Amino acid sequence: MLANRPPMGWNSWNTFGENIDEKLIMETADIIVEKGYKELGYEYVIIDDCWSLRQRDENGRLVPDPKKFPHGMKYLADYVHSKGLKFGMYSCAGILTCARYPSSYGHEYIDAQTFAEWEIDYLKYDFCNFPESGNCKNAYLTMSMALRSCGRDILFAACNWGVEEPWTWMRSRGIHTYRSTGDIFDNFASFRDIVHSQENNFSMSAPGCYNDIDMLTVGMYGKGNVGMEENACTDNEYLMQFSLWCLYSAPLILGGDIRKIDGFCKDLLQNKELIEINQDPEARPPFNVHNWSEKRILFKILSNNEYVLAFYNYDKEKVTLTVPFKDLGIPYESGKGLDLHDVMTGEKIGIVRDFLVEDLEGHTCKIYRGKLV
Ligand code: GLA
């Protein structure tokens, strides 16, 4: 089964936009292995928009731009596969892609065939330039069927930014992940608004078909295609972002230049516990124990009697948050408690009963994990 866990990998768009080529993709594949990302589960290397020529060939096939990809896509797929990784590409449900390259509307079956011949493993499928006369659900269904019949397992990553409430129909159309929001930018308000907009929709995200809240910006520090020089995220904000993606079982597709990411952000992206939380086989969404306008207390039930209790302060000001354990289904009279540790520091808190009080500085979070004992 494809997507029995949230997919993990890297995508070219957030940092590189149209400035992509074979060398970048090969170097990134090398780094995924050399810097230890692969062994943690990051496996898809995905080329986003701007990879093709502006015209199809005389047989109606898409053609890689020979200046950017001189050896073609099968060569690149072979290279990525030789590293034990998987190869992803991009097309779009409209007449043209977002950057106005040829797109798959009306060409779904031939394009799926081409992608299968190139041996790709993942297709991101965007929604720009969709014709007025088109039917969105049908367009995604058609490419889904084309991929299902192409003779190769290709994960289908739809990207229609939430149009027509994809959480209600993408699963039934055979899609594996669906982008539910507009594009992320590398700042706090952007990822906050994305996550908040989907809080009520994650209950429909589950193995086989996950709600995709976009590629991560962790480690971009304002640089690159979706970078915001003025308002780039801080390390604490990157921790909020990455851990939210993990708690909500969202695809973990890195958007930074991982050839250059070191220190805090590399450690964060490689945090084994956060990745385990993201990849938990049950993929249950956390619920909001308390939901004040700019604060959240999230409780996520993992498999094996494990739990995540996380506190998020989206406010600029310091706050104190209190969670009575009766709101976690663990009243004091039960005699039970959570044997917690801090996921980021590893510090053991011990068995906590009845309630937990947490002080949080502005734009910070705290994540605990443990068993019910
Ligand atoms: C849309 C998508 C982005 C990216 C660009 C490429 O905006 O939402 O993720 O794929 O198109 O042009």
Side-chain angles (χ1 to χ4, degrees):
M1 171 178 153
L2 286 172
N4 63 355
R5 300 279 198 282
M8 296 172 65
W10 173 91
N11 172 299
S12 57
W13 183 254
N14 279 2
T15 296
F16 299 98
E18 64 180 353
N19 300 313
I20 49 173
D21 58 25
E22 180 181 283
K23 182 164 167 282
L24 168 70
I25 304 303
M26 291 167 86
E27 284 178 7
T28 301
D30 293 346
I31 287 291
I32 290 180
V33 177
E34 282 162 24
K35 287 200 171 172
Y37 288 96
K38 178 181 172 230
E39 65 191 79
L40 292 162
Y42 295 97
E43 58 177 351
Y44 290 101
V45 182
I46 304 156
I47 304 180
D48 208 282
D49 203 353
C50 310
W51 58 265
S52 78
L53 286 180
R54 298 274 177 187
Q55 299 291 337
R56 290 172 181 270
D57 72 9
E58 62 281 10
N59 301 314
R61 297 269 187 155
L62 294 166
V63 187
D65 181 338
K67 288 205 191 76
K68 294 175 177 171
F69 299 100
H71 299 92
M73 289 304 175
K74 173 72 167 62
Y75 171 88
L76 208 45
D78 286 348
Y79 185 81
V80 171
H81 291 150
S82 77
K83 298 266 155 182
L85 299 170
K86 294 180 175 159
F87 184 50
M89 288 189 66
Y90 166 101
S91 188
C92 174
I95 305 273
L96 294 168
T97 72
C98 298
R100 306 187 74 77
Y101 289 83
S103 179
S104 295
Y105 185 80
H107 304 265
E108 291 87 351
Y109 279 82
I110 192 170
D111 289 352
Q113 201 51 51
T114 304
F115 291 133
E117 285 166 19
W118 291 341
E119 298 191 3
I120 79 165
D121 307 292
Y122 177 115
L123 181 67
K124 173 172 172 178
Y125 206 54
D126 218 336
F127 195 53
C128 280
N129 303 304
F130 194 69
E132 284 294 324
S133 58
N135 175 308
C136 169
K137 292 178 189 171
N138 245 334
Y140 280 90
L141 174 62
T142 306
M143 186 47 108
S144 173
M145 300 299 273
L147 292 174
R148 279 167 186 271
S149 60
C150 76
R152 192 174 167 80
D153 279 344
I154 298 179
L155 190 150
F156 190 22
C159 174
N160 86 337
W161 325 307
V163 174
E164 295 193 31
E165 306 192 325
W167 41 91
T168 64
W169 55 271
M170 284 284 187
R171 172 177 291 274
S172 69
R173 275 31 178 214
I175 279 84
H176 299 106
T177 65
Y178 51 87
R179 270 276 303 284
S180 52
T181 69
D183 291 9
I184 198 168
F185 290 89
D186 182 33
N187 71 23
F188 173 76
S190 172
F191 79 77
R192 175 199 61 198
D193 292 350
I194 283 175
V195 171
H196 285 180
S197 78
Q198 294 309 302
E199 281 174 326
N200 295 326
N201 300 332
F202 284 115
S203 58
M204 285 169 273
S205 183
C209 184
Y210 295 94
N211 188 328
D212 175 0
I213 45 176
D214 212 348
M215 288 91 70
L216 294 150
T217 66
V218 176
M220 290 181 65
Y221 294 113
K223 301 271 183 305
N225 190 37
V226 304
M228 309 280 282
E229 293 281 353
E230 296 288 294
N231 259 322
C233 290
T234 63
D235 284 347
N236 278 332
E237 291 166 351
Y238 283 139
L239 170 57
M240 292 177 82
Q241 180 186 132
F242 187 68
S243 61
L244 285 162
W245 264 236
C246 290
L247 262 76
Y248 282 111
S249 304
L252 296 182
I253 308 294
L254 309 179
D257 183 354
I258 55 172
R259 298 171 305 176
K260 297 188 181 145
I261 294 177
D262 278 307
F264 177 85
C265 283
K266 175 163 165 280
D267 291 346
L268 177 61
L269 297 171
Q270 301 203 346
N271 184 297
K272 279 196 177 132
E273 279 210 78
L274 289 176
I275 293 172
E276 269 172 35
I277 290 166
N278 175 265
Q279 297 283 297
D280 187 79
E282 294 190 22
R284 295 181 191 277
F287 61 90
N288 286 328
V289 185
H290 291 291
N291 175 357
W292 298 278
S293 63
E294 292 296 318
K295 295 122 201 153
R296 296 287 186 278
I297 299 176
L298 299 178
F299 190 61
K300 181 177 173 80
I301 298 179
L302 303 172
S303 45
N304 300 329
N305 189 34
E306 286 205 279
Y307 305 89
V308 179
L309 179 58
F311 299 81
Y312 286 85
N313 181 9
Y314 292 94
D315 229 328
K316 284 202 183 104
E317 313 302 325
K318 188 174 172 174
V319 290
T320 301
L321 298 177
T322 306
V323 54
F325 276 21
K326 70 173 175 42
D327 293 347
L328 309 179
I330 320 169
Y332 184 71
E333 308 79 73
S334 68
K336 300 279 188 183
L338 290 173
D339 189 5
L340 295 175
H341 66 272
D342 181 325
V343 163
M344 292 312 292
T345 63
E347 184 196 351
K348 286 195 190 325
I349 310 299
I351 300 174
V352 185
R353 296 188 174 86
D354 204 10
F355 63 88
L356 188 59
V357 180
E358 196 62 49
D359 293 320
L360 287 180
E361 298 294 333
H363 292 199
T364 66
C365 63
K366 194 84 180 212
I367 307 146
Y368 297 107
R369 179 183 181 192
K371 288 196 184 283
L372 176 59
V373 293

